Amino acid sequence: MEKIRAAITAVNAWVPDYVLTNKELETMVETNDEWIQTRTGIKERRILKDAGEGTSKIGVESVNGLLKKRGIQAEEIDLLICATTTPDLVFPATANIICDKVGAKNAFGYDIQAACSGFLFALTTAAKFVESGQYKKVVVVGADKMSAIIDYSDRATCIIFGDGGGAVLLEPDTNGYGIYDAVLKSDGSGRHFLHQKAGGSVKPPTHATIDAKEHFVYQEGQTVFKFAVKGMADVSAEIMERNNLSADDIAWLVPHQANKRIIDATANRMGIGMEKVMLNIQKYGNTTNGTLPLCLWEWEKQLHKGDNLILAAFGGGFTWGAVYLKWAYNS
Ligand code: UT7
């Protein structure tokens, strides 16, 4: 029997309209456009301001467009996995809310939490359901409304993050396209350097936790930076090596967009020129689970059937990983 691989057969993404520029941030915290651009590569990011809308809004817009592009009905979706760090609610899963809102009545769904590596972890998990032969249409959403957990008086974090995300459809392929390999890692001892202190079961919300601003992202930037540079480059090099891929074999590096300097270091280690690196951090900042589908969506028209792509990410946890896939279609 021919090997079934999970191939991405459609991609879509969505960002809110509101643009938060570096200039506007200058009016909110002690920072400046030049520092932000030099240290991170970010010029602006999008913010979801609509009252009553959470991460599921990004997922719903992405999935509705995805179904339209592929010409299928919501009822055909078998499974929807949502990677997010900012779920609409603590429970139930945002995946269930998205399924309800798009009308995916025959799907089961759940969320994956692996911070900025979540989309890769979800993609790899979803691929197994397709490879098993049991599921034919699996949607992976990567989305975050980071503005919900950002302290806009903390210049160390508020300049980095933005809202947005996207979705891909995975379908079975027996012609040699799709996901070939994944290297996924996590190290919980890194949790101290990037986390949200309160709101979970250890420290449920109280007036005191709110006063202490413990419901926002806490990050020790320099430490995370050091681990990210090493982690993302290591897994990218490892996946190339074990699949006998040289830099020339790779059409695109699709890196998590956390800091342009981390992306540069990864590309450098892989021996890949920046012309083969998807980079849109300047427009969206770090959308956590949203960065990778946002890249695939923006570059979709430049992708060709058979292109070798390496997706790579690093995030809170720590979590990190790389996925190697062969693009399955010309758009
Ligand atoms: O996606 C999940 C994983 N997250 C990441 O990968 C993020 C990794 N970390 C980073 O990207 C970087 O560490 C940051 C962008 C967060 C910070 O950049 P940095 O080059 O590591 O800056 P720093 O924290 O070492 O600060 C350097 C200086 C400090 O001033 P002094 O002590 O040298 O006088 C900071 O106070 O820059 C100052 N600074 C700022 N200045 C203007 C820190 N933030 C700002 C700011 N505007 N927003």
Side-chain angles (χ1 to χ4, degrees):
M1 210 180 91
E2 287 209 64
K3 180 169 174 52
I4 302 171
R5 291 185 201 283
I8 295 177
T9 55
V11 55
N12 194 47
W14 187 85
V15 288
D17 290 334
Y18 190 86
V19 178
L20 175 58
T21 62
N22 290 350
K23 272 269 165 270
E24 188 178 347
L25 281 170
E26 285 178 11
T27 68
M28 298 157 70
V29 288
E30 186 63 42
T31 191
N32 59 78
D33 176 46
E34 205 247 322
W35 190 96
I36 301 173
Q37 285 204 48
T38 320
R39 304 308 293 168
T40 70
I42 303 167
K43 290 184 182 165
E44 57 191 43
R45 64 291 289 143
R46 301 299 181 96
I47 304 294
L48 180 54
K49 294 220 168 196
D50 310 9
E53 295 288 8
T55 295
S56 70
K57 164 79 177 170
I58 302 165
V60 167
E61 294 288 345
S62 299
V63 173
N64 278 336
L66 184 78
L67 297 173
K68 210 167 152 192
K69 270 173 112 170
R70 184 76 183 96
I72 61 168
Q73 303 300 312
E75 290 84 353
E76 295 177 57
I77 302 174
D78 299 311
L79 161 64
L80 186 147
I81 303 179
C82 178
T84 186
T85 299
T86 51
D88 279 18
L89 305 164
V90 171
F91 74 92
T94 301
N96 293 45
I97 299 169
I98 297 170
C99 283
D100 179 46
K101 289 187 175 172
V102 303
K105 293 188 191 329
N106 300 314
F108 72 106
Y110 59 89
D111 288 358
I112 279 186
Q113 159 62 293
C116 293
S117 310
F119 184 77
L120 284 191
F121 284 33
L123 189 67
T124 307
T125 308
K128 303 300 169 199
F129 284 95
V130 176
E131 289 162 12
S132 74
Q134 204 178 349
Y135 298 93
K136 308 280 187 246
K137 289 188 169 46
V138 178
V139 172
V140 181
V141 174
D144 271 298
K145 181 185 167 183
M146 291 305 292
S147 61
I149 55 167
I150 292 299
D151 173 4
Y152 285 93
S153 66
D154 174 17
R155 70 177 184 174
T157 51
C158 75
I159 56 138
I160 304 169
F161 293 98
D163 301 341
V168 298
L169 178 67
L170 290 181
E171 295 185 77
D173 179 284
T174 50
N175 297 310
Y177 303 103
I179 295 171
Y180 270 69
D181 196 11
V183 177
L184 304 178
K185 312 251 184 192
S186 56
D187 176 359
S189 67
R191 68 190 180 279
H192 306 291
F193 307 110
L194 179 52
H195 61 269
Q196 181 181 315
K197 291 184 187 301
S201 57
V202 169
K203 228 185 210 194
T206 61
H207 289 290
T209 62
I210 289 168
D211 291 345
K213 297 186 169 185
E214 290 181 341
H215 296 269
F216 295 124
V217 170
Y218 169 83
Q219 175 169 256
E220 292 180 26
Q222 274 187 11
T223 308
V224 178
F225 184 88
K226 277 182 211 143
F227 278 97
V229 164
K230 185 173 179 332
M232 219 161 98
D234 279 354
V235 285
S236 304
E238 185 181 339
I239 208 160
M240 282 172 75
E241 204 176 305
R242 77 183 197 191
N243 289 282
N244 294 316
L245 294 168
S246 71
D248 287 344
D249 297 325
I250 293 164
W252 294 99
L253 167 64
V254 193
H256 173 52
Q257 314 278 310
N259 188 317
K260 184 172 180 298
R261 291 182 290 142
I262 299 171
I263 297 171
D264 291 345
T266 303
N268 197 25
R269 171 85 172 277
M270 295 167 79
I272 286 179
M274 287 308 280
E275 71 285 353
K276 293 207 286 189
V277 178
M278 297 186 189
L279 191 75
N280 57 14
I281 191 171
Q282 67 282 5
K283 290 196 287 186
Y284 306 127
N286 182 351
T287 55
T288 303
N289 287 279
T291 60
L292 298 180
L294 273 166
C295 280
L296 292 173
W297 169 65
E298 285 212 336
W299 267 264
E300 185 189 22
K301 289 201 164 45
Q302 295 179 58
L303 297 176
H304 301 108
K305 196 170 180 172
D307 278 354
N308 288 323
L309 270 57
I310 303 285
L311 283 62
F314 185 94
F318 292 131
T319 54
W320 66 109
V323 164
Y324 161 44
L325 62 85
K326 257 188 207 300
W327 195 249
Y329 63 95
N330 297 315
S331 55

